[in-house]
Amino acid sequence: MMLSPWDRWFATSCCLCCHVRTGTIILGVWYMLINGVVLLILLTALSDPEQYHLTSAELANDLDVMDDANMCIASAISLLMILICGMATYGAYKLRAAWIVPFFCYQIFDFALNALVAVSIVVYPNTVQDYLQQLPDNFPYKEEIAALSNVCLVLIVLLFIGSILSFKAYLLACVWNCYRYVSGRGASEILLYVTTTVLLPPYDDSVSVPLKQAPPPYTTATA
């Protein structure tokens, strides 16, 4: 029997031999914890801006990335991510496929963004050196990294991004398989409900139907 490409990649188990539902729930809770910690740090920075404010001189560039507006935007994004991850966790737990879709779309966007970063490094390899020059002077091992050749730096960065993309693709496949499993589970439950309540008559009605009269006994004809 011929299988479609989507069916070939479909599986109900993921890392550590757990079910895709369990993996999606763990992934959603993990993302919620990370974004919760980020949101807590940003709210703390907003409550005490003098302690967490970094000036442009400390960052060795012309941008002041820790102003109040950017922190408010980052806090809103973290709050939205907590909501999306919570929806995915609830959808995987309660078998609601539609609740998993926003988290799956976020994963696609995140994967595409990292892929674009890898493509930009291949097309413009000098951006790695430019990024190293923008780092502060007290950055660990800055001089040792800058002493490497440009080709070696590009290969190291591409290897690092490639490993991240492979891991993100695996998590993406896990959530997609969970969505397919939940969708198939819901479709089978609907089919079972229709079969038992619509196509089959109730038991009382089937019992109350009178039986047909038996046919007359067969008699052999005599000459």
Side-chain angles (χ1 to χ4, degrees):
M1 183 177 64
M2 296 296 294
L3 295 176
S4 63
W6 297 109
D7 294 332
R8 293 176 183 176
W9 291 100
F10 177 70
T12 57
S13 62
C14 58
C15 55
L16 300 179
C17 299
C18 61
H19 199 272
V20 288
R21 278 185 62 203
T22 307
T24 303
I25 292 173
I26 294 174
L27 184 61
V29 172
W30 174 251
Y31 270 81
M32 280 194 295
L33 289 176
I34 293 178
N35 287 278
V37 172
V38 173
L39 181 62
L40 182 61
I41 294 174
L42 291 173
L43 292 178
T44 305
L46 285 174
S47 62
D48 191 5
E50 297 297 331
Q51 181 178 358
Y52 297 93
H53 188 79
L54 296 178
T55 61
S56 59
E58 294 174 344
L59 294 174
N61 54 24
D62 298 331
L63 298 177
D64 195 357
V65 297
M66 292 298 291
D67 57 354
D68 294 340
N70 289 330
M71 284 193 293
C72 289
I73 295 174
S75 301
I77 293 175
S78 298
L79 186 60
L80 180 62
M81 284 302 306
I82 293 175
L83 178 62
I84 292 175
C85 298
M87 290 174 60
T89 305
Y90 177 81
Y93 180 73
K94 291 293 185 178
L95 298 177
R96 306 288 179 85
W99 292 66
I100 307 176
V101 175
F103 184 68
F104 181 71
C105 294
Y106 158 73
Q107 285 187 303
I108 294 177
F109 175 77
D110 186 38
F111 182 84
L113 189 63
N114 285 272
L116 288 176
V117 172
V119 172
S120 65
I121 291 176
V122 173
V123 176
Y124 303 103
N126 294 327
T127 54
V128 179
Q129 289 287 351
D130 296 337
Y131 178 75
L132 288 176
Q133 293 177 1
Q134 295 177 2
L135 293 176
D137 296 332
N138 56 357
F139 188 81
Y141 304 104
K142 178 183 177 181
E143 295 181 357
E144 290 80 359
I145 297 175
L148 297 175
S149 62
N150 194 21
V151 177
C152 184
L153 284 176
V154 170
L155 290 177
I156 293 174
V157 173
L158 287 179
L159 182 62
F160 179 72
I161 295 178
S163 61
I164 293 178
L165 286 176
S166 301
F167 182 68
K168 287 182 179 294
Y170 182 79
L171 297 180
L172 187 65
C174 176
V175 176
W176 169 250
N177 290 332
C178 178
Y179 172 78
R180 292 196 60 188
Y181 172 79
V182 173
S183 299
R185 184 75 175 269
S188 61
E189 290 179 355
I190 293 174
L191 181 60
L192 179 62
Y193 174 79
V194 172
T195 304
T196 55
T197 59
V198 178
L199 298 181
L200 296 179
Y203 177 76
D204 296 335
D205 295 342
S206 60
V207 172
S208 61
V209 174
L211 296 176
K212 295 182 180 180
Q213 295 180 358
Y218 177 76
T219 57
T220 57
T222 58

